């Protein structure tokens, strides 16, 4: 069923039936790629249910307990979870980013130790890449890992670390040399280690998924290094790209939200010709993206430039759709959405929509990548 001869319609119908019948743990909500601290327990029970039925780590190789599923199957599963309003796994960072890193670059011991608890949903990981002075320009990372007689000593600060408050381990990009890219190495950090301090950040929507992580004299064993010294940049690049699979689920969310927007505008008598035109334009963009997405996942190559175009356009369309909330609801509701349920959901989506054009590479960086690597335009002056 999950091989290259996948019958997409049959698979979709099977997943839809499975999700419809699946018992929902108390407190489970569709929290997106990262659970808040309160989401972890229901999310874990849900993950284990998916695992029992063979739907965890679809993209991992069979030898590590995955299904080696084609991109199309992964995309259909993610979309159906979005339709059913449930998360597709406990947390994205560990399974989608760290798993493939350990499978490609981890030692046999690291694979044996870390992959299984990731697969079973027992361990959450956080990605410790971004710093106050290093985001788009990731090679500017300054957190330092100095070699000691029996391992490493880490000092520095990370920021925007999703899920760090619930994480057992962090995937850390740190500086081990002076050369910009080749001076970077990748490490595993136990989040309970002495010298690691996690400070949650409260977001604009009131939730807290982000954190600051302070690393003060953190001692790591020699086997905390992933791959070789200086290989950190190459390893980091492997983690970028998998996030693209969330684009399909984002699209499902957009269609649902567009419908709610139209209902809210009609029931409030706000659907004037100007708003109707804006809504139709966005709806047309959503369909164009859906067709491009369907072609791209059917081709099955996650490194195709189509996914960069989709990342750019989907996140900007999502943001623009969210922004319509001010026209649909009026600015008063936007400043105090607490009294109206449908309004609150739309305002929440508007606020969360700001993140989409930043995470996994900002829109400006996506445009640079498309211009330089795909269209072969001259490189930006550096
Ligand atoms: C929801 C979410 C989850 C995240 N989770 C994590 C996580 O778990 N771990 C982690 O390490 N990080 C995480 N991040 C951080 C994310 O990777 C960074 O926010 C992103 O790389 C941008 O970096 P920055 O915020 O430092 O912005 P900057 O790089 O400082 O950019 C600021 C502005 O300048 C623009 N800009 C920068 N360089 C250029 C250029 N060369 N040309 C044109 N414009 C430019 C940018 O587009 C942006 O508009 C997350 C971010 C979000 C929104």
């Amino acid at each position: 069923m999950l091989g290259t001869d996948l019958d997409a319609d049959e698979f979709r119908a099977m997943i839809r039936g499975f999700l419809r019948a699946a018992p929902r743990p108390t407190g489970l909500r569709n929290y997106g790629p990262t659970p808040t601290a309160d989401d972890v327990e229901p999310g874990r029970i849900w993950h284990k249910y998916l695992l029992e039925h063979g739907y965890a780590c679809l993209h991992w190789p069979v030898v590590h307990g995955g299904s080696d599923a084609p991109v199309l199957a992964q995309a259909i599963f993610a979309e159906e979870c979005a339709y059913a309003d449930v998360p597709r796994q406990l947390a994205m960072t560990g399974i989608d980013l760290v798993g493939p890193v350990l499978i490609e670059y981890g030692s046999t011991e690291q694979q044996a130790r870390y992959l299984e608890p990731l697969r079973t949903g027992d361990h959450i990981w956080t990605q410790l890449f971004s710093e106050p002075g290093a985001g788009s320009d990731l090679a500017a990372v300054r957190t330092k890992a100095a070699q000691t007689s029996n391992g490493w000593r880490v000092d520095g600060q990370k920021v925007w670390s999703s899920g760090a408050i619930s994480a057992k381990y962090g995937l850390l990009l740190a500086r081990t040399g002076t050369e910009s890219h080749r001076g970077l190495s990748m490490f595993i950090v136990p989040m309970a280690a002495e010298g690691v301090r996690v400070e949650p950040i409260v977001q604009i929507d009131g939730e807290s998924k982000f954190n600051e992580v302070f690393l003060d004299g953190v001692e790591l064993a020699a086997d905390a290094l992933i791959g070789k010294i200086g290989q950190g940049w190459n390893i980091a690049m492997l983690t970028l790209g998998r996030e693209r699979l969330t684009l399909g689920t984002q699209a499902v969310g957009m269609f649902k939200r567009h419908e709610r927007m139209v209902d809210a505008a009609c029931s409030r008598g706000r659907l004037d010709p100007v708003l109707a035109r804006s809504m139709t334009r966005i709806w047309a963009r959503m369909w164009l993206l859906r067709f491009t997405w369907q072609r791209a996942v059917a081709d099955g190559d996650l490194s195709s430039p189509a996914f960069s175009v989709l990342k750019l356009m989907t996140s900007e369309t999502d943001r623009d759709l969210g922004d319509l909330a001010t026209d649909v609801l009026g600015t008063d509701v936007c400043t105090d959405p607490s009294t109206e349920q449908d309004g609150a959901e739309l305002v929440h989506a508007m606020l969360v929509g700001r993140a989409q054009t930043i995470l996994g590479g900002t829109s400006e960086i996506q445009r640079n990548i498309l211009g330089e690597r795909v269209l072969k335009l001259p490189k930006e002056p550096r």
Side-chain angles (χ1 to χ4, degrees):
M1 189 57 107
L2 287 180
T4 40
D5 55 345
L6 176 83
D7 181 323
D9 293 338
E10 209 179 297
F11 182 65
R12 191 181 284 283
M14 189 182 79
I15 298 298
R16 193 166 288 188
F18 163 73
L19 291 173
R20 201 176 291 138
R24 309 282 160 99
T26 313
L28 184 76
R29 64 177 186 124
N30 188 7
Y31 48 74
T34 304
T36 61
D38 290 342
D39 291 319
V40 170
E41 258 337 285
R44 180 169 283 141
I45 296 171
W46 176 244
H47 180 96
K48 287 182 180 292
Y49 184 80
L50 296 179
L51 176 75
E52 253 173 58
H53 292 82
Y55 295 123
C57 306
L58 290 182
H59 55 291
W60 287 20
V62 174
V63 62
H64 293 297
S67 305
D68 230 340
V71 169
L72 180 59
Q74 298 172 45
I76 291 174
F77 183 74
E79 279 171 23
E80 286 305 315
C81 286
Y83 281 121
D85 231 5
V86 289
R88 70 186 161 94
Q89 56 195 3
L90 173 56
M92 189 187 81
T93 303
I95 293 166
D96 285 0
L97 311 185
V98 179
V101 159
L102 292 175
I103 288 167
E104 173 99 20
Y105 290 96
S107 64
T108 315
E109 291 75 25
Q110 286 169 337
Q111 292 177 351
R113 181 165 172 197
Y114 299 111
L115 285 176
E116 187 58 8
L118 254 182
R119 195 179 78 91
T120 56
D122 288 307
H123 291 174
I124 288 181
W125 283 60
T126 188
Q127 183 191 29
L128 302 172
F129 286 13
S130 305
E131 297 184 2
S136 303
D137 184 11
L138 199 54
V141 156
R142 289 198 307 184
T143 292
K144 200 173 155 193
Q147 209 153 11
T148 61
S149 55
N150 57 352
W152 301 88
R153 184 191 157 97
V154 179
D155 288 280
Q157 188 204 331
K158 296 290 172 176
V159 73
W160 314 129
S161 318
S162 303
I165 198 75
S166 315
K168 177 95 174 159
Y169 295 103
L171 182 70
L172 172 77
L173 186 64
R175 184 152 295 286
T176 46
T178 49
E179 286 175 285
S180 87
H181 294 77
R182 273 185 274 170
L184 293 169
S185 303
M186 195 67 80
F187 297 91
I188 298 166
V189 180
M191 296 301 284
E194 204 172 318
V196 178
R197 186 161 55 90
V198 180
E199 294 283 347
I201 298 172
V202 179
Q203 298 142 209
I204 194 172
D205 62 351
E207 290 195 336
S208 185
K209 291 183 174 175
F210 285 139
N211 303 270
E212 286 180 288
V213 176
F214 298 88
L215 303 141
D216 295 315
V218 179
E219 303 281 351
L220 299 180
D223 65 1
L225 177 75
I226 302 177
K228 299 193 181 97
I229 296 174
Q231 233 180 358
W233 182 260
N234 292 345
I235 300 176
M237 289 306 104
L238 187 74
T239 64
L240 310 175
R242 288 254 9 129
E243 281 164 343
R244 291 165 176 187
L245 211 66
T246 61
L247 292 170
T249 59
Q250 203 178 329
V252 171
M254 276 167 20
F255 275 99
K256 283 187 178 177
R257 201 157 1 109
H258 193 280
E259 226 175 279
R260 271 193 222 130
M261 286 259 188
V262 173
D263 289 347
C266 291
S267 64
R268 286 172 168 77
R270 285 183 177 267
L271 199 61
D272 61 26
V274 176
L275 182 54
R277 194 171 55 201
S278 304
M279 287 191 142
T280 312
R281 276 201 181 135
I282 289 197
W283 186 76
R285 261 159 73 185
M286 284 158 50
W287 273 105
L288 291 175
L289 289 168
R290 168 165 279 188
F291 292 136
T292 310
W293 168 255
Q294 282 169 349
R295 277 201 309 274
V297 293
D299 282 353
D301 175 11
L302 272 179
S303 64
S304 141
F307 285 101
S308 295
V309 175
L310 279 162
K311 153 75 170 110
L312 176 66
M313 300 307 294
T314 307
S315 53
E316 296 197 345
T317 305
D318 197 346
R319 178 201 59 198
D320 295 348
L321 173 64
D323 285 352
L324 281 183
T326 49
D327 300 318
V328 168
L329 304 171
T331 41
D332 288 353
V333 179
C334 292
T335 53
D336 181 16
S338 52
T339 50
E340 301 181 51
Q341 187 50 33
D342 66 335
E345 277 174 28
L346 293 178
V347 172
H348 183 259
M350 172 177 74
L351 298 175
V352 172
R354 320 316 302 172
Q356 308 298 347
T357 57
I358 302 171
L359 66 94
T362 67
S363 282
E364 289 75 17
I365 297 301
Q366 293 299 322
R367 287 195 168 85
N368 279 356
I369 291 173
L370 286 169
E372 294 176 11
R373 296 197 203 148
V374 181
L375 299 176
K376 311 283 183 215
L377 296 173
K379 286 196 185 296
E380 70 164 321
R382 286 177 203 270

